[in-house]
Amino acid sequence: MSIELKQVSYTYMPKTPYEHKALDDVSFTLAEGSFTAIAGHTGSGKSTLVQHLNGLLHPECGQVLVDGVDLANSSKTGRQAAKEARNKVGMVFQYPEQQLFEETIAADIAFGPKNQGLEGEALVKRVKEAMELMGLDYAAYKDRSPFQLSGGQKRRVAIAGVLALRPKYLVLDEPTAGLDPQGREDLIQTICHLRKKWKLTIVFVSHNMEDIARLADSVVIMNHGQMAIKAAPQTAFEQVELLQAAGLQEPQMLHLLHRLQAVGLPVKTDGIQLEDGIRAIKEALSHVK
């Protein structure tokens, strides 16, 4: 199954002096089990796009289908199916720690599943599972205030609150923004663990090309509300002119390899990871007399 966008367009404040077309005829499919990165300049439509994935916004034209169900279906028979489909998509907004509000960590994480009718031992089990998935020891953290935690820990609590809803698809809008290098790396490793353990389909909005190169098996590049590229990262990063038009640059290692090629070193550019680049440079140097 999948999330499918069909010719999706969306305009903010239509028929006013402030009208702005945020999405323009966007179509692509997020395959089940995939890790898709979405990138683009500020104002390119990234956040508007991901808010369509769980029905927070509905397209003015086109359709968003989650496992074949139209999220905007408002018919008597389709309304319940659309609600169930929306619940399959967990959304983690940028700076999600700003949405924490309960007195304790456990209460904050329990808020969503409790509203879905879960209670008693089943609710406690769900909260404990979500906390442990995010590297938060239940006994040590459950009664602590979320406002006494570090920024990285707060973000883990916020993501745990989404995971407690047991989503099938997880949308992360720049989840590493504002974190220190160690906090970023810890969170990235946790996301990788989540994908492996739960077989989650992940959508990852980011400006960081290195993160995208490491994590994604598919990348969508947005530019002024339109989809400029949808391809595997290696293929996408080779389209330098389209990347630059979208306000982006290829990963630093690939940029270095291209510079070395330009000065005559016969280095291969068929890898985008750091270790691939190091290996390519060593191989090229071994052939230089």
Side-chain angles (χ1 to χ4, degrees), residues 26 28 36-41 44 46 49 206 209 212 218-231 233 236-237 239 242-249:
V26 176
F28 62 84
T36 301
I38 298 178
H41 59 80
S44 63
K46 303 185 304 295
L49 174 63
S206 179
M209 296 295 103
I212 291 173
S218 177
V219 57
V220 172
I221 305 297
M222 297 294 296
N223 187 12
H224 296 294
Q226 296 182 321
M227 186 180 71
I229 303 171
K230 185 181 188 299
F237 295 148
Q239 301 182 58
L242 286 177
L243 286 178
Q244 291 177 345
L248 302 171
Q249 189 179 58

Side-chain angles (χ1 to χ4, degrees), residues 121-193:
E121 190 60 35
L123 179 60
V124 173
K125 183 179 179 181
R126 184 76 66 85
V127 171
K128 185 176 182 180
E129 178 187 48
M131 289 180 66
E132 291 180 349
L133 279 169
M134 291 307 299
L136 297 165
D137 181 76
Y138 179 75
Y141 285 96
K142 67 183 179 70
D143 295 321
R144 292 181 62 180
S145 167
F147 306 107
Q148 295 176 344
L149 303 178
S150 68
Q153 289 172 325
K154 287 180 181 178
R155 195 158 301 182
R156 287 173 177 274
V157 171
I159 296 174
V162 175
L163 293 176
L165 296 169
R166 293 276 184 88
K168 179 180 178 181
Y169 304 94
L170 182 63
V171 181
L172 301 157
D173 191 352
E174 301 203 40
T176 62
L179 296 181
D180 59 58
Q182 187 60 55
R184 289 181 68 259
E185 184 61 26
D186 289 346
L187 185 55
I188 285 172
Q189 292 302 321
T190 300
I191 292 169
C192 292
H193 172 69

Side-chain angles (χ1 to χ4, degrees), residues 208-210 213-214 234 237-238 249-261 267-282:
N208 191 303
M209 296 295 103
E210 278 66 36
R214 289 174 58 192
Q234 177 71 49
F237 295 148
E238 290 290 348
Q249 189 179 58
E250 72 267 38
Q252 292 180 8
M253 177 51 75
L254 190 57
H255 182 67
L256 173 61
L257 295 178
H258 284 149
R259 291 285 300 273
L260 291 174
Q261 276 188 337
V267 62
K268 296 179 181 178
T269 60
D270 54 357
I272 55 176
Q273 303 290 339
L274 176 62
E275 56 271 21
D276 296 329
I278 293 172
R279 187 163 50 249
I281 292 171
K282 286 182 176 179

Side-chain angles (χ1 to χ4, degrees), residues 3 32 58 60 92 195 200 208 223 235 251 263 283:
I3 298 179
E32 185 172 344
H58 293 311
E60 62 178 303
V92 180
R195 185 191 183 195
L200 286 171
N208 191 303
N223 187 12
T235 302
V263 297
E283 182 181 348

Side-chain angles (χ1 to χ4, degrees), residues 49-113:
L49 174 63
V50 297
Q51 288 180 62
H52 278 76
L53 302 182
N54 73 341
L56 287 174
L57 295 176
H58 293 311
E60 62 178 303
C61 299
Q63 291 179 299
V64 179
L65 307 176
V66 174
D67 292 345
V69 177
D70 187 346
L71 297 187
N73 192 331
S74 58
S75 68
K76 186 175 181 180
T77 56
R79 195 176 298 121
Q80 182 59 34
K83 179 180 178 181
E84 292 173 1
R86 288 195 298 271
N87 287 339
K88 294 180 180 180
V89 185
M91 177 75 71
V92 180
F93 294 100
Q94 192 175 9
Y95 301 108
E97 59 272 18
Q98 296 176 1
Q99 300 162 49
L100 301 175
F101 64 95
E102 289 282 7
E103 292 184 2
T104 69
I105 290 171
D108 210 292
I109 295 170
F111 181 80

